[in-house]
């Protein structure tokens, strides 16, 4: 860890989180947290409920403002940027509860996330051209929703909504993809399909995944970070972390 | 602009809706009413501009403004100031102690035209001011509020406060604004008598034409990606930021468009009624404007026009017989509509008439070739489950 910390400011890392702290009315949900994510790495964050996992993602994507500390994405400080600027920098985020645009169709949901025409007049004169349509189709195919393109999004099943949200991220083509419990609430078949999907999409980008399912974690993780009470409890390969007595005590034990 | 074909912009139901409204406003109304009634009807239409703007702001963008009277008033006053200066030529006002200034200034012992009245001697400036002053004002309000993420009820209350302040200002500064009576006794436009029947007909048609311009702009906005962003924002404002959009800018934009529409409506009022007064600026008229929109259907730009017409007709007949009861009736109407018909007249049409009309259109040879897919639009209240 120390060797890594020394590298702090010079970063070959895609993401460098250092000393990140946020306190809600004195309660430190994330407490002096530091970690680094490499190019094309899949990092999984695990930890008991309330450990602060979601809050870390909130801090990285600008949803919550940090009390102190820094988040550098490709050497760019994110903590001072607004949410949409962070998205433009190349960070995409999937929320814990599927959050999609329920009044719009699947097609429109995906199209809205296509990275073009993001300012007011760009959006007003946005043209649904062949490029957009083929990209939307391509992504819909990946997320198993190509037959649902014209359906209103609120009519989808829970699992389909999760996929749609993943699709909305894919079409943004982020360099860093953050997924908060992507298989939560899914049936066994859906879980398998999702694991398959994640394996395909995580090839050419860095990914942070929050997940509870240890089998799933072991399958996909390059590195695992275990959080507890806003701090890092352990870090390393899935194998190593699984055997750590502290981790077993606070998390895997139950 | 060739990318934006009619077909992308309008379903065949939309085309039919526009046609029916055009026939109603351009043919049926002018033929069936005398000029006094028609001008009164034109006044109702001036409120339709505001209601259409509210469909964009409130129905689509989720921004409830209870202060649209401010922009209606600014637009109306901008034109009234020009007309008043024209009516206050030194010859016309020779009996005043200071000839050449509006009469109410003279009554308030003002001896010189205030600086901010000067530019309104120019017709071009005044026409531009109708559009630009309210839009810039809306931009500042929007910028101050939306960049700070003030929204919902707080925003509604602030817009109310602004309309109250503007009313108080206008009434209090009688010498500069005409006070509670407003700006009255307007006579000519560029030397042309605006009180003739002929002028009234011209103004009515100008009003209808401009209303259609606004309707087309609104239609274009709602069918663009921006329209869908607004729909998305209404439900999931936070999420839209993470799709890479600066939400505040989109809110500022529709708020400005709504303000500009309202301002044109205000100017159309001035033109047809030949006066403007603070009674169209304050809290009560601003709330009435929201009711026009709610009755018509928050998500339907054509519905907004019918909402403005229906409520105003009711107000004229009911309000004339029982003026003291009107406000209560209006309140009851609002609550009733929100509870029973959340999508207003447009919702009722969608549910009961649209299917029949669709079947009819399937048979109509003209529309057969125009096979727009009416189920595709995200904006229609399609969730009639
Ligand atoms: N905006 C907030 N205001 C106050 N407290 C908050 C806020 N956001 C999170 N918290 C608190 O911070 C702690 C960490 O929450 P967080 O959602 O990050 O946990 P988590 O690790 O994602 O848990 P889970 O596995 O249940 O999703 C919790 O105790 C939560 O109540
Ligand atoms: Mg969480």
């Amino acid at each position: 860890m120390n060797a890594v910390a020394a590298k702090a400011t010079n970063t070959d890392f895609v993401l460098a989180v250092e000393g990140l702290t946020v306190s809600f009315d004195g309660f430190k949900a994330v407490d002096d947290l530091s970690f680094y994510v490499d190019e094309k790495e899949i990092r999984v964050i695990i930890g008991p409920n309330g450990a602060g996992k979601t809050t870390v993602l909130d801090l990285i994507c600008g949803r919550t403002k940090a009390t102190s500390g820094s988040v550098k994405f490709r050497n760019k400080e994110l903590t001072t940027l607004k949410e949409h600027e962070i998205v433009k920098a190349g960070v995409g985020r999937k929320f814990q509860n599927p959050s999609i645009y329920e009044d719009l169709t699947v097609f429109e949901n995906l199209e809205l996330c296509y990275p073009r025409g993001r300012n007011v007049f760009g959006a007003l004169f946005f043209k649904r051209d062949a490029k957009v349509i083929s990209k939307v189709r391509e992504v819909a195919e990946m997320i198993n929703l190509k037959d649902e393109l014209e359906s209103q999004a609120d009519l989808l099943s829970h699992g389909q909504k999760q996929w749609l949200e993943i699709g909305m991220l894919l079409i943004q083509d982020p360099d860093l993809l953050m997924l908060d419990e992507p298989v939560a609430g899914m049936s066994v078949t859906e879980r398998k399909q999702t694991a398959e999907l994640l394996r395909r999409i995580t090839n050419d980008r860095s990914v942070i995944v929050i997940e509870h399912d240890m089998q799933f974690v072991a399958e996909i993780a390059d590195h695992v970070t275990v959080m507890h009470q806003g701090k890092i409890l352990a870090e390393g390969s899935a194998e190593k972390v699984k055997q750590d007595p502290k981790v077993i005590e606070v998390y895997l034990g139950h | 602009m060739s990318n934006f074909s009619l077909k992308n912009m309008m379903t065949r139901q939309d085309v039919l809706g526009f046609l029916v409204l055009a026939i109603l406003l351009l043919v049926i109304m002018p033929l069936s009413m005398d000029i006094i009634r028609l001008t009164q009807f034109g006044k109702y239409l001036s409120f339709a501009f505001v209601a259409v703007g509210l469909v964009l702001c409130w129905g689509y963008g989720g921004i409830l403004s209870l202060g649209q009277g401010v922009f209606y008033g600014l637009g109306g006053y901008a034109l009234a100031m020009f007309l008043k200066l024209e009516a206050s030529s030194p010859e016309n006002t020779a009996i005043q102690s200071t000839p050449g200034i509006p009469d109410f200034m003279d009554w308030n012992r003002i001896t010189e035209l205030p600086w901010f009245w000067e530019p309104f001697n120019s017709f071009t400036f005044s026409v531009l001011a109708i559009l630009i002053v309210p839009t810039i004002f809306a931009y500042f309000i929007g910028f101050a509020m939306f960049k700070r993420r003030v929204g919902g009820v707080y925003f509604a209350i602030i817009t109310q406060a602004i309309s109250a302040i503007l009313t108080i200002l206008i009434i209090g500064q009688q010498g500069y604004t005409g006070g509670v009576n407003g700006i009255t006794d307007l006579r000519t436009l560029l030397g042309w008598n605006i009180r003739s029947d002929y002028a009234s007909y011209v103004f009515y048609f100008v009003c209808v034409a401009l209303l259609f311009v606004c309707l087309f702009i609104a239609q274009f906005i709602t069918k663009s990606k921006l329209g869908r962003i607004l729909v998305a924002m209404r439900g999931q404002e936070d999420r839209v930021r993470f799709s890479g959009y600066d939400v505040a800018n989109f809110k500022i934009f529709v708020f400005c468009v709504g303000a500009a529409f309202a301002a044109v409506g205000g100017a159309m009022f001035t033109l047809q009624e030949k006066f403007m007064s603070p009674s169209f600026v304050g809290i009560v008229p601003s709330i009435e404007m929201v009711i026009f929109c709610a009755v018509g259907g928050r998500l339907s730009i054509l519905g907004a026009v019918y909402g403005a017409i229906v409520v105003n007709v009711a107000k004229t007949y009911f309000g004339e017989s029982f003026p003291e009861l009107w406000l209560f009736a209006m309140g009851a109407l609002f609550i009733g509509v929100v509870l029973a018909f959340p999508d207003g007249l447009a919702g009722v049409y969608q549910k009961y008439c649209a299917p029949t009309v669709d079947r009819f259109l399937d048979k109509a040879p003209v529309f057969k070739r125009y096979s727009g897919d009416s189920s595709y639009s995200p904006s229609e209240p399609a969730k009639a489950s």
Side-chain angles (χ1 to χ4, degrees):
Chain A
M1 277 271 295
N2 285 343
V4 171
K7 272 175 154 187
T9 33
N10 130 38
T11 61
D12 309 326
F13 297 110
V14 172
L15 185 78
V17 174
E18 290 174 347
L20 195 63
T21 303
V22 67
S23 98
F24 300 115
D25 302 322
F27 166 68
K28 285 188 173 165
V30 172
D31 190 0
D32 195 20
L33 194 79
S34 301
F35 68 94
Y36 302 84
V37 179
D38 253 329
E39 202 74 57
K40 309 226 162 53
E41 173 184 343
I42 301 182
R43 169 69 55 106
V44 179
I45 302 179
I46 60 173
N49 294 113
K53 305 181 296 292
T54 299
T55 309
V56 171
L57 299 198
D58 285 347
L59 288 164
I60 295 171
C61 74
R63 192 184 205 204
T64 304
K65 290 274 161 258
T67 312
S68 64
S70 99
V71 176
K72 284 213 176 70
F73 173 71
R74 294 197 185 289
N75 270 329
K76 192 176 193 178
E77 183 60 48
L78 296 187
T79 48
T80 52
L81 296 184
K82 295 220 200 88
E83 296 94 324
H84 69 276
E85 292 165 335
I86 295 175
V87 172
K88 271 177 208 157
V91 179
R93 191 253 169 103
K94 186 199 163 301
F95 291 86
Q96 190 161 353
N97 303 315
S99 65
I100 53 173
Y101 306 124
E102 309 222 315
D103 294 332
L104 301 181
T105 65
V106 170
F107 185 99
E108 289 164 340
N109 267 275
L110 292 170
E111 180 191 55
L112 211 68
C113 300
Y114 185 81
R116 196 179 75 200
R118 278 170 167 171
N119 61 28
V120 168
F121 292 101
L124 190 58
F125 297 109
F126 177 87
K127 189 173 162 264
R128 184 178 288 172
D129 57 19
K131 223 170 147 188
V132 177
I133 294 173
S134 77
K135 185 72 195 168
V136 168
R137 292 237 168 87
E138 182 194 320
V139 170
E141 176 108 41
M142 285 175 90
I143 57 173
N144 302 321
L145 289 177
K146 70 174 192 303
D147 299 328
E148 306 288 339
L149 278 174
E150 297 303 309
S151 326
Q152 196 146 318
D154 67 339
L155 302 176
L156 299 179
S157 73
H158 179 79
Q160 287 176 318
K161 285 181 186 173
Q162 297 266 38
W163 290 336
L164 176 56
E165 197 180 352
I166 293 173
M168 287 158 72
L169 287 176
L170 285 183
I171 210 163
Q172 284 176 14
D173 199 18
D175 286 347
L176 173 65
L177 184 62
M178 306 195 291
L179 305 166
D180 200 344
E181 306 198 14
V183 297
M186 280 190 174
S187 70
V188 180
T189 5
E190 284 174 334
R191 236 165 227 256
K192 271 205 188 113
Q193 284 173 304
T194 309
E196 175 61 32
L197 170 65
L198 289 186
R199 258 191 295 275
R200 252 186 299 150
I201 65 177
T202 50
N203 274 336
D204 42 5
R205 49 173 62 89
S206 308
V207 185
I208 300 177
V209 190
I210 295 178
E211 195 41 73
H212 284 292
D213 184 333
M214 276 314 285
Q215 197 194 330
F216 186 79
V217 171
E219 259 178 61
I220 62 168
D222 293 326
H223 279 97
V224 178
T225 299
V226 188
M227 283 189 69
H228 181 50
Q229 295 179 343
K231 291 194 163 84
I232 291 181
L233 189 70
E235 204 168 42
S237 69
E239 272 314 302
K240 185 183 144 206
V241 159
K242 255 197 230 171
Q243 264 125 49
D244 191 317
K246 281 182 296 179
V247 177
I248 294 171
E249 191 197 323
V250 307
Y251 182 53
L252 299 173
H254 332 234
Chain B
M1 286 292 282
S2 62
N3 306 330
F4 301 97
S5 69
L6 182 69
K7 221 159 164 173
N8 291 339
M9 218 178 107
M10 293 178 139
T11 64
R12 60 185 193 181
Q13 287 265 359
D14 292 335
V15 172
L16 183 72
F18 271 76
L19 282 177
V20 168
L21 186 67
I23 293 168
L24 181 74
L25 299 186
L26 292 171
V27 182
I28 298 177
M29 289 303 167
L31 290 180
S32 64
M33 287 195 258
D34 62 37
I35 187 60
I36 294 172
R37 290 267 158 204
L38 189 67
T39 297
Q40 190 176 37
F41 189 74
K43 178 177 87 177
Y44 304 162
L45 291 184
S46 80
F47 291 112
F49 287 81
V50 191
V52 173
L54 277 167
V55 168
L56 295 177
C57 291
W58 181 36
Y60 277 79
I63 305 162
L64 177 56
S65 164
L66 297 177
Q68 291 305 92
V70 167
F71 309 116
Y72 187 83
L74 287 174
Y77 269 97
L79 186 60
M81 285 162 81
F82 170 77
L83 296 174
K84 187 66 187 172
L85 287 180
E86 191 174 315
S88 310
S89 64
E91 306 84 73
N92 286 343
T93 53
I95 52 160
Q96 290 177 187
S97 37
T98 313
I101 63 171
D103 47 10
F104 59 82
M105 290 184 188
D106 198 55
W107 302 333
N108 285 279
R109 303 210 186 87
I110 287 173
T111 53
E112 202 186 356
L113 195 64
W115 62 267
F116 66 90
W117 273 76
E118 286 291 349
F120 287 93
N121 277 309
S122 152
F123 181 64
T124 322
F125 175 88
S126 305
V127 170
L128 290 177
I130 291 169
L131 283 172
I132 292 171
V133 172
T135 309
I136 289 181
F137 191 43
Y139 181 84
F140 281 117
I141 298 173
F143 194 91
M145 296 296 123
F146 300 136
K147 286 284 179 188
R148 266 176 229 159
R149 305 203 177 164
V150 175
V153 181
Y154 298 100
F155 182 78
I157 291 171
I158 284 164
T159 52
Q160 278 229 311
I162 293 169
S163 71
I165 292 167
L166 188 63
T167 314
I168 293 166
L169 206 66
I170 292 173
I171 293 175
Q173 299 298 313
Q174 200 171 7
Y176 299 110
T177 63
V180 74
N181 297 324
I183 297 179
T184 56
D185 204 16
L186 310 174
R187 295 171 199 171
T188 55
L189 173 69
L190 301 173
W192 183 52
N193 177 14
I194 60 173
R195 300 185 159 202
S196 68
D197 284 359
Y198 175 64
S200 296
Y201 273 112
V202 170
F203 293 153
Y204 174 80
F205 284 106
V206 167
C207 176
V208 172
L210 289 175
L211 181 60
F212 269 92
V213 170
C214 290
L215 286 170
F216 276 110
I217 293 173
Q219 179 77 14
F220 180 75
I221 291 175
T222 58
K223 294 290 152 134
S224 72
K225 190 177 84 163
L226 194 147
R228 296 190 287 279
I229 291 170
L230 294 177
V231 172
M233 255 167 50
R234 194 179 55 205
Q236 301 257 347
E237 181 174 326
D238 236 4
R239 185 66 182 81
V240 175
R241 301 182 209 281
F242 296 107
S243 297
Y245 299 99
D246 189 347
V247 165
N249 287 348
F250 289 84
K251 290 189 167 182
I252 294 169
F253 174 76
V254 273
F255 189 54
C256 286
V257 172
F261 284 7
V264 175
M268 288 302 106
F269 177 93
T270 302
L271 212 49
Q272 298 184 87
E273 294 294 301
K274 286 101 186 165
F275 80 99
M276 189 69 210
S277 90
S279 59
F280 303 100
V281 175
I283 291 178
V284 172
S286 294
I287 291 176
E288 279 181 339
M289 292 165 187
V290 172
I291 295 175
F292 304 154
C293 176
V295 168
R298 280 194 298 164
L299 289 171
S300 167
I301 55 178
L302 292 177
V305 177
Y306 291 104
I309 295 171
V310 167
V311 179
N312 273 294
V313 168
K315 182 179 177 176
T316 303
Y317 289 98
F318 191 82
E320 269 167 14
S321 338
F322 313 97
E324 65 285 2
L325 285 180
W326 170 244
L327 269 184
F328 292 102
M330 186 94 118
L333 179 69
F334 184 55
I335 295 168
V337 165
V338 168
L339 291 181
F341 306 103
D343 291 315
L345 293 171
V348 173
Y349 172 83
Q350 271 296 325
K351 196 161 171 195
Y352 299 105
C353 312
T356 321
V357 172
D358 237 357
R359 244 172 290 134
F360 176 76
L361 288 183
D362 281 336
K363 289 184 203 127
V366 195
F367 280 95
K368 221 169 190 166
R369 280 178 31 233
Y370 186 97
S371 58
D373 177 1
S374 58
S375 71
Y376 186 60
S377 156
S379 52
E380 309 294 330
K383 281 188 283 181
S385 48

